[in-house]
Amino acid sequence: MEGGGDNEGPPGGPGAVLSFLREGVPSYIAEVPTAVPILEGGHGGHPAHSPRCQAFIEWLDSRGLVVIVFDMDRTMSRGHCGQGLPRDQIEGYLEGRSHDFVEAASALSELGRHRLAVATGSDPVEYDLPGQGRDTHILGPDLAAALLERWCPEARPKFEVMVGYDFELHGGNAHDKGKRFHMRRIAEHYGVEFRQMVLFDDSQGCLENEDGWLGVKVSDSVGFRFEDCFEHQGEHQAAP
């Protein structure tokens, strides 16, 4: 359930991301760490950021990670939109945001040395399902953008790539299974190598890949937590 930008990115710059995705371009997903040891000094972050957040940033920098990708359901929020969230239920989803995600997005956007993206399996194609529509439901990049606008609007422009793509709705090509498609499109958009990318996701299967990007599993009961990076040492990279 992802959709993403093409090699040149959305026309009109970051502000045009959503309309660009709605025209049928693919997306991306993310995965998160949970247990973060508190480091003294926090030179990798900023005095205004919590010690846990500073430790998270240092964890990213120590691994040379430049593009930070987040899944949406069970990661940015502990909620799940299914095939589409009725608009009268959006408040519950937004209130379920991960506090650590909000702090991470704000801190990373403020520092300015990382690139941010959302990779979700919630695909805009699902707006066309019977009984659904944009007037009655919200999903995919639209929902991710709503969460960002609610809790960290200053970070919203930094998420240049937000795509929803479900490979089963686009032919079921195993080459695109999980988050493979999303991460490839995000890499193209930002012009980086896979080894510079990390995905935070609550689904083990979505972390499997042959390209070499790093995957960190998020605890889906609470969404993204800084501690996931340190409690879960089974970092997933390219399969042999």
Side-chain angles (χ1 to χ4, degrees), residues 62-73:
S62 69
R63 287 160 175 75
L65 298 170
V66 177
V67 177
I68 319 305
V69 186
F70 294 93
D71 182 18
M72 184 178 73
D73 291 342

Side-chain angles (χ1 to χ4, degrees), residues 63-239:
R63 287 160 175 75
L65 298 170
V66 177
V67 177
I68 319 305
V69 186
F70 294 93
D71 182 18
M72 184 178 73
D73 291 342
R74 309 297 196 206
T75 300
M76 292 171 60
S77 168
R78 60 177 177 267
H80 196 288
C81 72
Q83 292 185 318
L85 186 71
R87 285 189 172 272
D88 61 6
Q89 297 178 21
I90 190 173
E91 286 303 317
Y93 189 96
L94 299 183
E95 287 296 327
R97 86 284 192 188
S98 158
H99 293 271
D100 285 359
F101 166 75
V102 172
E103 183 178 5
S106 297
L108 293 173
S109 65
E110 178 183 346
L111 290 173
R113 62 175 180 263
H114 303 88
R115 315 305 293 273
L116 304 175
V118 172
T120 175
S122 181
D123 194 317
V125 168
E126 293 170 312
Y127 277 127
D128 298 327
L129 293 175
Q132 296 196 173
R134 295 182 184 278
D135 293 337
T136 58
H137 291 72
I138 186 168
L139 55 86
D142 292 335
L143 185 54
L147 188 146
L148 289 167
E149 292 289 356
R150 168 67 63 86
W151 299 113
C152 45
E154 73 286 352
R156 169 64 184 85
K158 301 298 183 179
F159 283 80
E160 295 182 20
V161 179
M162 293 196 299
V163 185
Y165 182 82
D166 181 349
F167 87 107
E168 292 184 342
L169 299 178
H170 298 273
N173 187 338
H175 183 68
D176 295 332
K177 189 175 182 179
K179 297 305 169 62
R180 294 171 173 85
F181 173 83
H182 311 68
M183 296 298 278
R184 289 167 184 157
R185 301 297 290 184
I186 294 172
E188 291 174 359
H189 177 85
Y190 282 129
V192 299
E193 298 179 19
F194 291 117
R195 63 181 178 80
Q196 298 175 290
M197 304 174 70
V198 60
L199 167 66
F200 296 108
D201 200 300
D202 69 290
S203 172
Q204 189 77 23
C206 287
L207 304 181
E208 298 174 359
N209 75 98
E210 300 73 38
D211 294 322
W213 45 266
L214 178 63
V216 180
K217 190 176 185 306
V218 176
S219 174
D220 62 8
S221 62
V222 296
F224 168 81
R225 295 185 301 140
F226 292 125
E227 287 74 17
D228 288 337
C229 293
F230 302 91
E231 292 176 352
H232 179 71
Q233 296 303 322
E235 299 172 355
H236 304 274
Q237 291 181 300

Side-chain angles (χ1 to χ4, degrees), residues 14-38:
V17 169
L18 289 182
S19 61
F20 181 60
L21 295 175
R22 288 169 183 159
E23 295 171 6
V25 185
S27 86
Y28 320 96
I29 284 192
E31 168 193 335
V32 185
T34 35
V36 179
I38 296 179

